[in-house]
Amino acid sequence: MTAKIISGTETAKAIREELKAEIAELKEKHGIVPGLVTILVGSDSASQVYVGAKERTCKALEMYSERYDLPADTSEEEVLALVEKCNKDDKINGILVQLPLPKHINEHKVLYAIDPNKDVDGFHPVNIGKMMLGEDCFLPCTPHGMLELLERNNIETSGAECVVIGRSNIVGKPIANLMLQKRPAGNATVTICHTRTKDMDFHTKRADILIAAVGVPNLIKADQIKEGVVILDVGVNRIGKTEDGKAILAGDVDFESVKQKAGAITPVPGGVGPMTITMLMKNTVQAAKTAAGLL
Ligand code: GUN
């Protein structure tokens, strides 16, 4: 068997086309332009790349965008004051504070200060609580993108054994929760593995759907998976640089070793990654429609 490639690039492109049409209609019929602000503190190079990509995507979709690049020594009070200003600004529907923040800034305090109605990252406890309860809310972008990948690529999840490796707040915990809910791309039997799991291979070998979100390059090999498993690889690990200075990326799954055994797999790059920013835009459009009383 050669694994089917689940292309995030293609799926994201299709969703962006839908969004573009929706945004054009919002502008034409209601005079609404969804707006996103990005706030970056410090000069982490990966974060700069992500924020740049978010800004470019906003522009490509003809959304309104504002970008704040603040120095690493910006105080917590200054960041909180900026969040508060954005909470009150009607041009802004979504607020994204890029993580990680410098150590002297309390991440929770900043995320909790964002108006839950503008929390397009889905990181505010109000949205996390609603997500747990299966209520309408902003879903965190990477897990949201993974659900779209499963749905749009017709992957059956109901009753499937889904094994999630990694328990981060951004990916592992929310995707595990979403996959067990009574919803499309849900109804799975979910296991979460982490650094204290006694026998990880026991779990990975049982998985019908395997989600790897640990940040360890090429961790999962062919001898740890079942024939035909669907793999979503969330890892974006920089393992070197090309001669012209571009990052060489590897997933958490050893693509070359598993591709003959898995049923389907998301590549790195071009898998889960492109979906994250697209879902951020989708959440921002949703925020704009809600703010205008259209939802
Ligand atoms: N850092 C890594 N991933 C994310 C994300 O999805 N949102 C934010 N705000 N920061 C991140």
Side-chain angles (χ1 to χ4, degrees), residues 50 54 96-100 121 123 141-142 170 276:
Y50 289 135
K54 286 164 189 173
L96 180 130
V97 178
Q98 186 66 30
L99 304 179
D121 249 332
F123 290 168
C141 299
T142 302
I170 295 183
T276 299

Side-chain angles (χ1 to χ4, degrees), residues 11-295:
T11 307
K13 205 167 137 193
I15 298 173
R16 284 180 204 192
E17 287 307 316
E18 293 165 15
L19 284 175
K20 222 170 164 174
E22 198 175 346
I23 291 162
E25 192 180 320
L26 278 175
K27 197 172 184 177
E28 203 177 295
K29 284 199 184 151
H30 305 280
I32 293 167
V33 180
L36 176 73
V37 63
T38 57
I39 300 172
L40 171 65
V41 188
S43 53
D44 178 76
S45 59
S47 291
Q48 281 173 336
V49 171
Y50 289 135
V51 167
K54 286 164 189 173
E55 199 187 19
R56 279 195 304 282
T57 311
C58 262
K59 296 214 163 107
L61 295 179
E62 300 193 20
M63 291 164 61
Y64 173 73
S65 78
E66 276 184 33
R67 174 173 173 172
Y68 291 89
D69 285 9
L70 308 175
D73 61 357
T74 305
S75 69
E76 186 178 284
E77 289 69 30
E78 285 170 302
V79 177
L80 289 170
L82 177 57
V83 167
E84 203 42 54
K85 180 171 98 77
C86 296
N87 279 342
K88 292 191 181 124
D89 186 339
D90 289 340
K91 292 194 298 305
I92 290 168
N93 302 110
I95 301 173
L96 180 130
V97 178
Q98 186 66 30
L99 304 179
L101 286 165
K103 291 210 164 36
H104 66 279
I105 299 178
N106 184 328
E107 184 176 297
H108 293 292
K109 219 166 158 180
V110 172
L111 294 179
Y112 290 17
I114 296 173
D115 178 345
N117 295 312
K118 296 191 177 190
D119 169 40
V120 287
D121 249 332
F123 290 168
H124 192 285
V126 166
N127 284 313
I128 295 170
K130 285 184 173 178
M131 178 193 73
M132 291 277 297
L133 296 169
E135 289 181 24
D136 279 346
C137 64
F138 295 117
L139 297 180
C141 299
T142 302
H144 194 179
M146 292 156 79
L147 297 181
E148 290 278 350
L149 277 179
L150 292 168
E151 265 191 75
R152 289 178 185 243
N153 290 280
N154 301 314
I155 290 162
E156 181 59 79
T157 59
S158 185
E161 291 289 337
C162 173
V163 175
V164 179
I165 312 172
R167 54 177 159 179
S168 70
N169 289 335
I170 295 183
V171 182
K173 283 185 209 163
I175 193 61
N177 182 268
L178 289 163
M179 297 276 319
L180 66 80
Q181 292 187 10
K182 290 181 185 167
R183 53 169 299 146
N187 288 311
T189 302
V190 180
T191 304
I192 308 179
C193 296
H194 49 77
T195 43
R196 300 297 172 94
T197 297
K198 282 194 181 135
D199 184 354
M200 195 172 76
D201 290 10
F202 166 77
H203 298 287
T204 57
K205 283 178 182 167
R206 289 187 306 114
D208 301 312
I209 298 173
L210 183 63
I211 296 174
V214 275
V216 179
N218 302 318
L219 177 74
I220 304 297
K221 312 277 186 202
D223 62 355
Q224 293 170 282
I225 61 166
K226 185 167 82 176
E227 189 90 32
V229 60
V230 173
I231 301 177
L232 300 184
D233 187 352
V234 189
V236 183
N237 306 293
R238 288 167 172 73
I239 55 167
K241 276 190 180 169
T242 59
E243 275 176 15
D244 52 352
K246 287 206 180 102
I248 300 172
L249 301 179
D252 291 347
V253 178
D254 185 0
F255 186 87
E256 285 308 314
S257 118
V258 306
K259 73 178 183 199
Q260 301 300 339
K261 197 169 176 188
I265 183 168
T266 58
V268 178
V272 175
M275 295 298 291
T276 299
I277 294 180
T278 302
M279 302 323 290
L280 179 70
M281 302 302 146
K282 197 172 165 97
N283 282 352
T284 306
V285 172
Q286 183 190 325
K289 287 167 86 171
T290 307
L294 297 173
L295 276 185

